């Protein structure tokens, strides 16, 4: 097929999880930078008054992007594992090993939902004028879980996909 000379679909399939996990990692890093700014001491009190409205605006857009990126990563990883080389073994280290590692990381990102959802829900429901009910405290909680999720799921997944992309077929 002449089009395969220009664009090899298998190369695109192999690169897709790296591209989508890169998007996830860039988004996670951006969230960390921007949301950390909202809890800094000079603007923390102002943030308490706007965080609920801010999250109501940003959450539907952000969660949609996160889900699209993660499910695309998971789907293309599974395709790479099952479709392109269904008989390959994960050990010794092969491209399939890296796709498995990345897949575990991508699924691991979603496994953190029970830990990030409650602080977000409390921020969204924060209409209490009580100074003790600071939304920024919930933002600190979310940021802590977000950092851990990046370290144990997002970064390892991305590194695994880099490994898969760099591995040369024998």
């Amino acid at each position: 097929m002449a089009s395969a000379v220009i664009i090899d679909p298998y190369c695109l399939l192999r690169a897709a999880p790296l591209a989508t996990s890169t998007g996830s990692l860039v988004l996670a890093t951006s969230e960390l930078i921007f949301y950390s700014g909202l809890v800094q001491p000079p603007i923390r009190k102002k943030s308490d008054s706007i965080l609920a409205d801010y999250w109501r605006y940003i959450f539907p857009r952000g969660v949609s992007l996160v889900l699209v990126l993660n499910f695309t990563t998971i789907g293309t990883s599974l395709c790479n594992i099952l479709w392109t080389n269904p008989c390959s073994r994960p050990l010794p280290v092969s491209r399939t090993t890296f796709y498995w590692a990345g897949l575990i990381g991508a699924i691991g990102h979603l496994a953190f939902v029970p830990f990030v959802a409650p602080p977000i829900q409390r921020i969204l429901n924060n209409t209490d004028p009580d100074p003790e009910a600071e939304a920024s405290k919930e933002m600190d909680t979310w940021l802590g879980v977000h950092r851990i999720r990046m370290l144990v799921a997002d970064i390892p997944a991305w590194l695994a996909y880099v490994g898969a992309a760099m591995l040369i077929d024998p």
Side-chain angles (χ1 to χ4, degrees):
M1 177 179 214
S3 64
V5 173
I6 298 169
I7 299 175
D8 181 2
Y10 293 112
C11 284
L12 290 176
L13 180 61
R14 284 195 302 261
L18 176 59
T20 55
S21 69
T22 299
S24 293
L25 190 55
V26 168
L27 177 62
T29 304
S30 299
E31 288 173 336
L32 184 61
I33 293 167
F34 296 130
Y35 292 146
S36 292
L38 293 172
V39 295
Q40 296 307 306
I43 61 168
R44 194 172 183 102
K45 286 294 180 193
K46 291 177 188 173
S47 293
D48 285 331
S49 66
I50 65 163
L51 272 171
D53 291 331
Y54 182 76
W55 270 90
R56 278 188 204 97
Y57 175 80
I58 206 76
F59 183 73
R61 292 154 179 82
V63 77
S64 299
L65 183 56
V66 167
L67 290 174
V68 165
L69 288 169
N70 275 292
F71 284 125
T72 303
T73 302
I74 290 168
T76 55
S77 295
L78 286 171
C79 286
N80 275 293
I81 291 167
L82 302 173
W83 188 46
T84 59
N85 197 358
C87 296
S88 70
R89 302 168 112 188
L91 294 174
V93 175
S94 67
R95 182 174 275 140
T96 303
T97 307
F98 286 111
Y99 284 121
W100 273 112
L103 177 64
I104 291 166
I107 293 170
H109 179 100
L110 298 175
F112 275 85
V113 168
F115 304 104
V116 296
I120 293 170
Q121 190 63 46
R122 289 189 292 269
I123 290 170
L124 291 171
N125 293 336
N126 187 17
T127 55
D128 193 349
D130 180 14
E132 295 299 316
E134 296 173 0
S136 57
K137 288 180 183 177
E138 298 300 336
M139 190 79 247
D140 280 332
T141 301
W142 183 88
L143 283 165
V145 175
H146 184 67
R147 285 181 186 100
I148 293 167
R149 179 177 57 194
M150 283 180 65
L151 288 173
V152 301
D154 298 337
I155 293 171
W158 182 79
L159 289 171
Y161 294 128
V162 168
M166 293 179 66
L167 196 62
I168 298 171
D169 288 325

